[in-house]
Amino acid sequence: MPAPIRATERYGARPGGIGRVSRDCGQIRPPGATRYATLAVRSGSNEEDLDVTSRPTTIGQVVAADLCSGCGLCAGLMPERLEMVDRVDLGLRPRMKDGHDDDETTSAAAVCPGATITRPPVAANAITELADGWGDVLEVWEGYASDQEVRFAGSSGGVVTALAACAVSSRAFAGVLHTAAHPDAPLTNETVLSRSRDALLAAAGSRYAPAGPCDRLDLAESAGGPVVMIGKPCDIAGVWAARRNRPQLDAAIGVTIAVFCAGTPSTRGTLEMLSAMGIHDPDDVTSLRFRGMGWPGHAVATTRSGQEGRLDYDGSWNTVLQKHRQWRCRLCPDHTGELADLSVGDPWYRPVEPGDTGRSLILVRTDKGRELLRSAIRSGAIIAERVAPGVLPASQPNLLRTRGAVAARIASLRLAGYPFPRFRGFPMWRFWWSELPLTEKLRSTVGTLRRVRRRGSRAMDPGFREANHG
C-alpha cells in the first residue's frame, strides 16, 4: 500500500499565499482567493527526516524542532541561500533555495534567536529592582506623540512612530527598518525602509501577524547611513547577536526599538479573526488594521465590496489571535525587548477610558536610547514624563509569571529529550517559585509534557523538508 500523502500549506509561490488542503490534496479556497493559496505535497515514503538534536546546529534543525520564531535573520544573513515563506498554521519559516543544502546554514544558526539568546550582564547604572525580571532599564517614561495624527494612528500613544519620524527628520539617521502591511496582500506583512514621516505614519499600528524584519538587512546595510530598527524582542535579539560578527551590519544599525510582544499569531489566526468579523473571502480585503485609531483601538478590515468588519481588542487579540501564537513564543522569557536601546509598550496599569487616544510606556535601556528619546522630547515630537520604576510591573503584571512558566516548560522539554532554546543571563526559576500558584506550576510542566507527547517522538515540526522540497 503506498505511503500516505502529506500536504503542507505555505506562502511564497504567489504574493499573499494562504490556502487550505482538501481531503484529496487539492485546495479549498474562499471565492476568488487565488492570491492566498499555494500547496506543497510530498510522499511520506520518500521523506527523510532532519536529524533533530536537543541542540540544533543548522537552520533546518531549528525549524524542524519548532523553535523558529520567524524573525527572518537567517534569510537576512544568507539571502542567496534562504528566503522566508508563510506557513499558514505556523508562521514565517525559512525555505532553502535551489542548489543549497542545510549544512551551509550553521553560521546563521549560531546567532538564531529561536535557538539561543544571551543577555549580557546588567549595566551598573540599571534600576536594581527591575534588573532580574526586565533587564537593563535605566529610566521609565510615559508619554505620547504630540502629532495628533500619529498618536491616533498608533497602538498606544504613537511613540514608536514619533521616535522614528524624529530620527529621520533630524537627518541623524538614513531611514527606519520596520514592518508594514504588504500592499498586494494586506493580511500579510513585508519589511520596508522608510525615510519620511508620511511613510512611517502609513505603517503605524501593531501588526499581529507573522513579521520578520530581519529578512531585509540588506536595506539597512545599503541605506547610506545608520538606521533605526523597529522589531519584536526576538528580532532585536537576533540582530544584536549577528552584528557582533558582521561589521557592516553593526555600522548600519544605529538604534534599536523593541515593541512589547506577547507572541506572534499565525496567518490562520488572521483568517479566523476575519471570519469573526463576518468576512469570509480574504481576497476581497483591501486593508486590515489590527490596532490603532484610539487606545487600545479596534481591528478593522475593509473589502472591495464595501464591507467593514470590526472587533475590539478583547474580541480580536484575547478571543482569537492569542490562541494562534507560535510554540516558540510560549518558550520566550523576553517580552519587552531586553537587548534593545529603547522598548515601548502599553501602560496597562491605566484604566481604558472611552475616547482615550493612548499613552506609551517607554523603557530607556542604553545611552543611545536615552539620547534618541531626549532628542524627541526636546524637539517637541514626544510629550513625556519620567515615572516610578514600579509602573513597569504594574503595566505588565503577567510577564513575570510567564517567565517562571517558561523555565518549567524548557525543563520539561529537556527532561523529555526534546529540543529546547538556550537562554543565558535570564533569571527564570525564581519567578516560577515566587509568581506562580500551584495550579500554574503544574500546568507549566505537565502541560508541556502532554504537548510533546501528542506530537510524537519525531521532529516537532517535520515540515522543513516539505516547505523546501515540496
Side-chain angles (χ1 to χ4, degrees), residues 100-262:
H100 294 281
D101 188 80
D102 186 46
D103 291 339
E104 303 171 22
T105 66
T106 54
S107 62
V111 294
C112 170
T116 303
I117 299 179
T118 299
R119 192 181 84 172
V122 174
N125 58 341
I127 299 172
T128 303
E129 66 191 84
L130 299 178
D132 284 352
W134 312 92
D136 280 340
V137 180
L138 311 186
E139 299 169 2
V140 182
W141 292 72
E142 187 176 336
Y144 53 89
S146 61
D147 182 327
Q148 291 303 303
E149 191 176 14
V150 170
R151 185 181 185 184
F152 187 63
S155 295
S156 58
V159 162
V160 172
T161 304
L163 284 167
C166 178
V168 295
S169 65
S170 70
R171 302 189 183 279
F173 296 88
V176 180
L177 188 73
H178 64 103
T179 295
H182 196 294
D184 298 321
L187 276 62
T188 62
N189 297 316
E190 66 172 355
T191 303
V192 298
L193 183 75
S194 293
R195 300 180 186 267
S196 70
R197 176 257 189 198
D198 289 347
L200 290 162
L201 177 61
S206 298
R207 298 287 301 173
Y208 294 148
C214 300
D215 68 345
R216 294 301 310 275
L217 296 178
D218 61 301
L219 294 175
E221 293 178 342
S222 62
V227 306
V228 176
M229 180 178 179
I230 301 170
K232 306 181 299 297
C234 59
D235 306 327
I236 302 302
V239 166
W240 185 90
R243 61 193 295 190
R244 301 175 74 184
N245 298 311
R246 190 176 172 108
Q248 67 270 36
L249 179 61
D250 190 41
I253 303 296
V255 171
T256 56
I257 302 175
V259 292
F260 290 11
C261 178

Side-chain angles (χ1 to χ4, degrees), residues 156 160 258-260 343-348 359-363 396:
S156 58
V160 172
V259 292
F260 290 11
S343 299
V344 181
D346 289 284
W348 290 122
R359 299 168 70 93
S360 299
L361 191 67
I362 311 160
L363 309 184
Q396 304 290 330

